[in-house]
Amino acid sequence: MVDLLYPKTPLYYLTEVFMTTKKIPDIIIGRLPLYLRALERMASNGEIVTSSKELGEGVGISAAQIRKDISQFGEFGKQGTGYNIKFLSEKLREILNIDRVWDVAIIGAGDIGHGVARYQGFLERGFRVTLAFDNDAKKIGTKVGEVEVQNIEKMADALNASDVKIAMIAVPAEYAQDVADKLAKTQVKAILNYAPIRLTVPEGVHVQYIDPATHLQWMTYYL
Amino acid sequence: MVDLLYPKTPLYYLTEVFMTTKKIPDIIIGRLPLYLRALERMASNGEIVTSSKELGEGVGISAAQIRKDISQFGEFGKQGTGYNIKFLSEKLREILNIDRVWDVAIIGAGDIGHGVARYQGFLERGFRVTLAFDNDAKKIGTKVGEVEVQNIEKMADALNASDVKIAMIAVPAEYAQDVADKLAKTQVKAILNYAPIRLTVPEGVHVQYIDPATHLQWMTYYL
DNA sequence: TAGATTGTTAATCGATTAACAATC
DNA sequence: TAGATTGTTAATCGATTAACAATC
């Protein structure tokens, strides 16, 4: 509208640059892995193309929203045809930075730590546990999954000697913030927290939470 | 506004009744367990009262939203003072129907199933695994946590003979929908799904999803 | 009383949906 | 060409925040 009425002013170009580097809402990023998950299942079923309608049904989201989300990153579809599943999957993997395998550290070698380290789903989706730490002398030196549990006092050094940028916290709630503080001093920039407590971390460090009991308590409201 | 200008019409009363039985948004219900979790930690630290400001800081939500959420269910605070932690916790437990212990079934006795069955966090938060099922002959008869794994063919009967209304699905993605269909024919009305796939269930059955890989893939966007 | 904090209304913000021209 | 489906804009919807009277 504006540029029909006025010549392009410096403000116009500023706006355009701003638009180009616009921040994608976090909530959209969070849906991309769900799209990718559905696309990979379609691909494994031998499907070649899909539509926003079909994909939407697969993830429980409206077709309009699927199209809007995807179009934030480029024009990956074809009018009249839909989306090539393999192509869109590749694009989503590039956008999400999962066109590679990420090494991950696990802190806490209790029940959750063991479960997480053994979980095949991570490996299938691009994550490999390569470091494990605990503060319990009885656990140090034992194995969780494929990796040996190290003394948590060596965590900072071991992390800095590695290229690990992702850590999972599986210690009791009362230690979780302390662990997070220590992680924040390393190059770890993403934390998946299984402890049932909110973590405070510096700008630039991302935290996601997993708390199954919270999900169950949510559903009991409706029972 | 309306009732300043007009006498109270039948529509007014209809509206009032409607307001009284208003449906609380799902997103608000989902925050209540987080409030409760924070309150329980405060209580265990010996604190007696808190404010929307303090509670908000504990869960990472604005004070205004905390107040608005809680006020949907009653007037549980005191002006000038804040909220009594014990009292508010009790109210939240009543609202969420977790002023009791819920029996839970786990379907799938693989790595996730074992981890979940052993997880102490459920018991502490009001959930007890009492039934387990798998289709693998090698697993049937073994134990996950405290309970014996039964043949999945006996699932419907065993569930109907129990009072279990909550089930956790921890089978491979390709079997998850089939398990969900079978569960939907029992009195199970809440499903926590660990399989990385969306489930379609009848009206009145609630599903929550746990997929750690999705959370990791979300964060790698920012790395 | 003065200070603090709730409960609630109104304003703002952001996300979702509807609609449709473009085009394969 | 006719039918299908995208990418995008405008309209709608719902959630969050700000503000403040009530009151402890």
Side-chain angles (χ1 to χ4, degrees):
Chain A
M1 287 265 283
V2 170
D3 48 321
L4 293 177
L5 298 173
Y6 303 101
K8 293 183 178 179
T9 61
L11 183 60
Y12 171 86
Y13 290 105
L14 191 62
T15 305
E16 192 172 50
V17 168
F18 180 74
M19 297 294 287
T20 307
T21 60
K22 73 169 176 295
K23 198 183 166 295
I24 311 281
D26 203 43
I27 197 165
I28 293 183
I29 306 300
R31 283 192 292 256
L32 300 186
L34 299 179
Y35 301 164
L36 179 59
R37 206 175 77 171
L39 289 166
E40 284 171 345
R41 192 173 56 259
M42 290 175 186
S44 76
N45 291 341
E47 296 172 48
I48 304 299
V49 296
T50 187
S51 64
S52 59
K53 184 163 177 287
E54 188 191 35
L55 184 53
E57 283 160 7
V59 295
I61 284 172
S62 78
Q65 186 158 83
I66 299 268
R67 290 201 301 280
K68 191 142 201 259
D69 285 358
I70 292 173
S71 71
Q72 305 292 312
F73 304 95
E75 306 197 352
F76 300 145
K78 261 207 190 77
Q79 285 101 325
T81 311
Y83 300 93
N84 178 290
I85 291 172
K86 193 148 167 280
F87 178 75
L88 183 56
S89 300
E90 266 166 33
K91 288 298 173 189
L92 290 179
R93 272 192 221 99
E94 284 169 21
I95 292 162
L96 290 169
N97 285 318
I98 49 172
D99 47 351
R100 75 194 78 178
V101 173
W102 289 91
D103 288 344
V104 177
I106 172 91
I107 298 88
D111 283 338
I112 298 178
H114 273 274
V116 164
R118 258 194 243 108
Y119 178 46
Q120 287 306 305
F122 283 130
L123 205 48
E124 290 160 14
R125 315 265 289 280
F127 301 95
R128 181 174 53 191
V129 176
T130 56
L131 290 171
F133 304 95
D134 203 297
N135 68 349
D136 180 349
K138 288 195 290 288
K139 286 173 184 155
I140 295 164
T142 66
K143 285 208 164 182
V144 292
E146 306 280 290
V147 303
E148 190 177 314
V149 179
Q150 299 183 57
N151 191 322
I152 198 164
E153 285 172 12
K154 294 181 186 156
M155 184 174 78
D157 288 345
L159 282 171
N160 284 326
S162 76
D163 64 347
V164 167
K165 291 195 179 59
I166 304 170
M168 301 190 278
I169 296 182
V171 302
E174 56 267 40
Y175 302 122
Q177 183 61 59
D178 185 50
V179 168
D181 293 344
K182 290 191 172 110
L183 289 172
K185 287 180 185 144
T186 71
Q187 84 272 35
V188 166
K189 291 287 171 279
I191 296 174
L192 185 61
N193 179 34
Y194 282 85
I197 188 168
R198 172 157 200 274
L199 300 178
T200 303
V201 295
E203 184 97 1
V205 177
H206 299 268
V207 183
Q208 290 274 309
Y209 297 87
I210 304 254
D211 183 3
T214 290
H215 290 269
L216 290 182
Q217 290 180 341
W218 185 344
M219 288 191 289
T220 51
Y221 173 81
Y222 299 100
L223 294 183
Chain B
M1 286 266 284
V2 170
D3 48 319
L4 293 176
L5 298 173
Y6 303 101
K8 292 183 178 178
T9 62
L11 185 59
Y12 171 85
Y13 290 105
L14 190 63
T15 306
E16 193 172 49
V17 168
F18 181 72
M19 296 296 284
T20 308
T21 59
K22 73 169 177 294
K23 198 182 167 293
I24 310 282
D26 203 44
I27 197 166
I28 293 183
I29 306 300
R31 283 192 292 256
L32 300 186
L34 299 179
Y35 301 163
L36 178 58
R37 205 175 77 171
L39 289 166
E40 284 172 344
R41 194 174 55 259
M42 289 175 186
S44 76
N45 290 342
E47 295 172 49
I48 304 299
V49 296
T50 187
S51 64
S52 59
K53 184 162 177 286
E54 189 190 35
L55 184 53
E57 283 160 7
V59 295
I61 284 172
S62 77
Q65 186 157 81
I66 299 269
R67 290 201 300 279
K68 191 141 200 259
D69 285 357
I70 291 174
S71 71
Q72 306 291 312
F73 304 95
E75 306 197 353
F76 299 146
K78 261 206 189 79
Q79 285 102 324
T81 311
Y83 300 93
N84 178 291
I85 291 172
K86 194 148 167 279
F87 178 75
L88 183 55
S89 300
E90 267 166 31
K91 288 297 172 190
L92 289 178
R93 272 192 222 99
E94 283 169 22
I95 292 162
L96 289 169
N97 285 317
I98 49 172
D99 48 351
R100 74 194 77 177
V101 173
W102 289 91
D103 288 344
V104 177
I106 171 91
I107 297 86
D111 283 339
I112 297 179
H114 273 274
V116 164
R118 258 194 245 107
Y119 179 45
Q120 288 306 304
F122 283 130
L123 206 48
E124 290 160 13
R125 314 266 288 280
F127 302 95
R128 181 174 54 192
V129 176
T130 57
L131 290 170
F133 304 96
D134 203 295
N135 69 349
D136 181 349
K138 287 196 291 288
K139 285 173 185 155
I140 295 164
T142 65
K143 285 207 165 184
V144 292
E146 307 279 292
V147 301
E148 191 177 313
V149 179
Q150 300 183 57
N151 192 323
I152 198 163
E153 285 172 13
K154 294 182 188 157
M155 184 174 78
D157 289 344
L159 282 172
N160 284 325
S162 76
D163 64 346
V164 167
K165 291 194 180 59
I166 305 170
M168 301 189 279
I169 296 183
V171 303
E174 56 267 40
Y175 302 122
Q177 182 62 58
D178 185 50
V179 169
D181 293 343
K182 290 191 172 111
L183 288 173
K185 288 181 184 143
T186 69
Q187 84 271 34
V188 166
K189 292 287 170 278
I191 296 174
L192 185 62
N193 179 33
Y194 282 84
I197 189 168
R198 172 157 200 273
L199 300 177
T200 304
V201 295
E203 185 98 1
V205 177
H206 298 268
V207 183
Q208 290 275 308
Y209 297 87
I210 303 254
D211 184 2
T214 290
H215 290 270
L216 290 182
Q217 290 180 342
W218 185 344
M219 289 191 288
T220 51
Y221 173 81
Y222 300 99
L223 293 182

